Amino acid sequence: MRLILLGPPGAGKGTQALRLVAKYGIVQLSTGDMLRAAVKAGTPIGLQAKEIMASGGLVPDDVVVGIVGQRIEQPDARKGFILDGFPRTVPQAAALDRMLADRGIALDSVIELRVDEDALVRRIETRIAETKARGEPLRDDDSPEVLRTRLKAYRQLTEPLIAYYRDQGVLRTVDGMAAIDDVTTAIDKVLPSEPTPARAKKKAQS
Ligand code: AMP
């Protein structure tokens, strides 16, 4: 099973991804997590991404495409994966299409978690309050101002992917405002019962 979870920050992609991981035995590939690990480790990519992430902007396409390309080559991703936070732009989606075609594999579904922006801001504020109450450190980008920048980036650069995947016939939209368990049930209902069979490799076709 190869899936994409699409939705603005705070829509619950991470929560639903964890449930899909448990259900299908596939891996969650979160570009946000990978980039945060790179920032923590102080790698060249991390150094490049740190300020951009803290301000709520998007890391350059070639950087994230590079890390996803390497990650989907790993043995644990062979059985399938859930992309969480990638692609975020049309060029990233086009690069992903090429990557998958080169490997002779196809996406099963793109699940859009549809939410309302005011509710998102409230969700993030709750997450900040809960994190503080647990005495845990906040993420650099956990602030209402940065959230607004991230939502703007989502609207301008990521939302066009809804039409992109609708045109490919793989988009499935779910109400992300429902209770967590109900969102999980709705996702279950829209997923195909059989994973999409692998396509012949591009090279083999010519
Ligand atoms: P996330 O954990 O998915 O909310 O991502 C946190 C931050 O990492 C984002 O606000 C971006 O700065 C960066 N990021 C994560 N994924 C991508 C991506 N696919 N393209 C560009 N930037 C990304």
Side-chain angles (χ1 to χ4, degrees), residues 35-200:
L35 290 166
R36 278 184 287 277
V39 170
K40 207 168 162 204
T43 65
I45 287 180
L47 294 176
Q48 191 183 352
K50 191 176 188 327
E51 295 305 319
I52 301 173
M53 291 173 75
S55 67
L58 290 189
V59 174
D61 289 337
D62 57 336
V63 173
V64 277
V65 166
I67 57 176
V68 170
Q70 285 177 3
R71 186 63 187 86
I72 64 173
E73 289 287 333
Q74 303 296 312
D76 63 346
R78 289 232 173 93
K79 210 175 141 195
F81 48 76
I82 306 161
L83 289 167
D84 163 7
F86 179 92
R88 255 177 160 99
T89 65
V90 170
Q92 289 181 20
L96 177 66
D97 281 347
R98 288 192 294 274
M99 261 187 245
L100 297 178
D102 284 348
R103 291 166 178 78
I105 53 183
L107 285 173
D108 291 285
S109 296
V110 175
I111 300 160
E112 178 206 356
L113 296 180
R114 189 165 291 177
V115 290
D116 115 16
E117 273 200 22
D118 292 340
L120 273 187
V121 176
R122 286 197 296 276
R123 265 192 197 177
I124 300 264
E125 282 168 355
T126 306
R127 186 170 86 189
I128 294 173
E130 286 172 356
T131 308
K132 275 189 183 159
R134 286 196 302 271
E136 290 169 11
L138 288 174
R139 273 168 51 168
D140 278 354
D141 54 2
D142 262 340
S143 82
E145 303 78 60
V146 175
L147 175 63
R148 267 188 283 280
T149 308
R150 298 173 78 211
L151 286 172
K152 197 169 155 216
Y154 180 80
R155 251 182 274 124
Q156 287 179 344
L157 298 165
T158 312
E159 229 168 41
L161 294 179
I162 294 172
Y164 183 94
Y165 287 119
R166 187 182 293 124
D167 289 348
Q168 288 194 4
V170 288
L171 186 78
R172 306 285 177 265
T173 300
V174 160
D175 174 15
M177 299 312 297
I180 293 176
D181 286 345
D182 295 339
V183 177
T184 306
T185 307
I187 292 176
D188 257 2
K189 281 202 188 127
V190 298
L191 285 182
S193 46
E194 292 290 325
T196 308
R199 284 192 299 244

